[in-house]
Amino acid sequence: MSVRDQLTDGLYGLGWSTVKKLPEPAAVRLGRSIADLAWKRRGKGVQRLEANYARVLPDASPERLAELSRAGMRSYLRYWMESFRLPTWSTERVRTGFDPKDLHHLTDGIASGKGVVIALPHMANWDLAGAWVTTALETPFTTVAERLKPESLYDRFVAYREGLGMEVLPHSGGTAFGTLARRLRDGGLVCLVAERDLSSSGVEVRFFGEATRMPAGPALLAQQTGAVLLPVTLWYDDSPVMQGRVHPPIEVPETGSRAERTSVMTQAMADAFATGIADHPEDWHMLQRLWLKDLDPARDPAKGAS
């Protein structure tokens, strides 16, 4: 393990071992202080977050975008502070820590026995939403985790999420899709964070007016297994309780090839994500490049001409 990897793993380990021991008000203050410091330093992550917000709010002034990126970093650090402390939360704290709207879409889907695929963007605290599902709904589920470096950090995340009641599969290795399909055919629940394509072979969609790629997995799983596909968006308000919305099911088109049906369904998923993000942009934690113009300058005629 490199020195950098050792440092990264050590810092996360310190967070999980130390922050969870802090009183909640102290953890909140610490998270906000770290967020404000990172925002003032204007590192690459903050700059990318702000650039992504500019796609969401194309008419926003530089001052508005700066204000939004500061709020976004505070939301991002709230996610981390909560995540470090989540394993110590009581069952009652978890059950009262999330208030999803239109929950009937999910409970009806679970009751149908067809299996349910929940697809979320990186908003607010998806780990808390997952812990709420396993606790308040008493429903286990399967998810997929990106392999992180160092490996020990990935192991920490897997152990953390398994401790919250989730079955965690590695994103790489090629066996995840088959396992997810089996869980769904058995009437199970699958949750996938799904607005960023990690395979470079996703489905091209329009997202806030520009092209990007999103994973085909949620749509393909719904087609192949008959499971219900539900987009979910999350956000924070001024209370300690996270908010969320379960969007209406995305139907499988009756006509078209598998690729065509997948494209239509993935675009519908992207549209649902965009609705939630537009309403609560500061709770969208996308500190990476997402749009194809940013990933491949050749896709941008203005950059190609320069």
Side-chain angles (χ1 to χ4, degrees), residues 3 10 21 27 44 78 102 113 120 130 144 152 171 174 178 192 212 221 243-244 247 254 270 283:
V3 172
K21 298 176 183 177
K44 290 183 179 179
R78 176 173 171 175
D102 298 326
L120 312 91
V144 175
S152 56
H171 181 270
L192 301 171
T212 188
L221 285 166
Q243 306 298 312
H247 295 258
E254 295 182 358
D283 293 314

Side-chain angles (χ1 to χ4, degrees), residues 56-297:
V56 177
L57 298 172
D59 297 327
S61 66
E63 293 78 15
R64 170 61 177 140
L65 290 175
E67 177 186 89
L68 194 58
S69 66
R70 183 176 189 177
M73 289 304 296
R74 287 182 171 183
S75 175
Y76 184 49
L77 264 295
R78 176 173 171 175
Y79 158 72
W80 278 111
M81 293 298 110
E82 284 183 350
S83 294
F84 288 143
R85 293 174 48 78
L86 198 50
T88 69
W89 283 17
S90 67
T91 299
E92 183 63 20
R93 178 74 174 87
V94 173
R95 285 177 173 167
T96 60
F98 180 40
D99 181 22
K101 311 299 186 291
D102 298 326
L103 183 62
H104 65 278
H105 293 308
L106 176 55
T107 54
D108 289 350
I110 293 172
S112 74
K114 297 178 179 179
V116 177
V117 180
I118 291 178
L120 312 91
H122 288 81
M123 291 187 77
N125 191 337
W126 47 96
D127 287 325
L128 172 55
W132 185 88
V133 167
T134 62
T135 303
L137 299 186
E138 299 182 341
T139 302
F141 66 88
T142 305
T143 189
V144 175
E146 178 184 0
R147 279 207 173 275
L148 303 171
K149 292 183 179 180
E151 188 75 13
S152 56
L153 179 57
Y154 170 78
D155 292 340
R156 284 184 189 274
F157 271 98
V158 170
Y160 158 65
R161 287 176 173 145
E162 288 179 343
L164 298 176
M166 312 175 194
E167 178 188 21
V168 184
L169 307 176
H171 181 270
S172 58
T175 61
F177 188 91
T179 302
L180 295 174
R182 287 193 295 274
R183 299 292 183 269
L184 292 168
R185 290 191 181 102
D186 290 338
L189 177 63
V190 165
C191 298
L192 301 171
V193 181
E195 92 278 32
R196 182 168 171 249
D197 178 45
L198 298 175
S199 67
S200 299
S201 60
V203 178
E204 187 166 320
V205 297
R206 302 296 293 179
F207 193 51
F208 292 104
E210 292 190 35
T212 188
R213 282 188 295 265
M214 292 190 181
L220 288 172
L221 285 166
Q223 289 179 65
Q224 291 193 18
T225 68
V228 179
L229 174 55
L230 297 174
V232 173
T233 51
L234 310 171
W235 67 93
Y236 292 124
D237 58 16
D238 293 331
S239 77
V241 179
M242 185 176 70
Q243 306 298 312
R245 183 172 305 283
V246 183
H247 295 258
I250 295 175
E251 303 293 339
V252 177
E254 295 182 358
T255 61
S257 65
R258 185 175 74 164
E260 289 168 340
R261 293 195 301 268
T262 301
S263 178
V264 170
M265 295 175 71
T266 306
Q267 183 63 62
M269 181 182 75
D271 293 343
F273 290 170
T275 297
I277 292 168
D279 288 342
H280 306 279
E282 68 279 4
D283 293 314
W284 185 41
H285 308 152
M286 184 50 61
L287 281 73
Q288 295 85 23
R289 297 177 186 271
L290 184 71
W291 280 272
L292 299 186
K293 285 182 180 179
D294 297 331
L295 295 166
D296 179 9

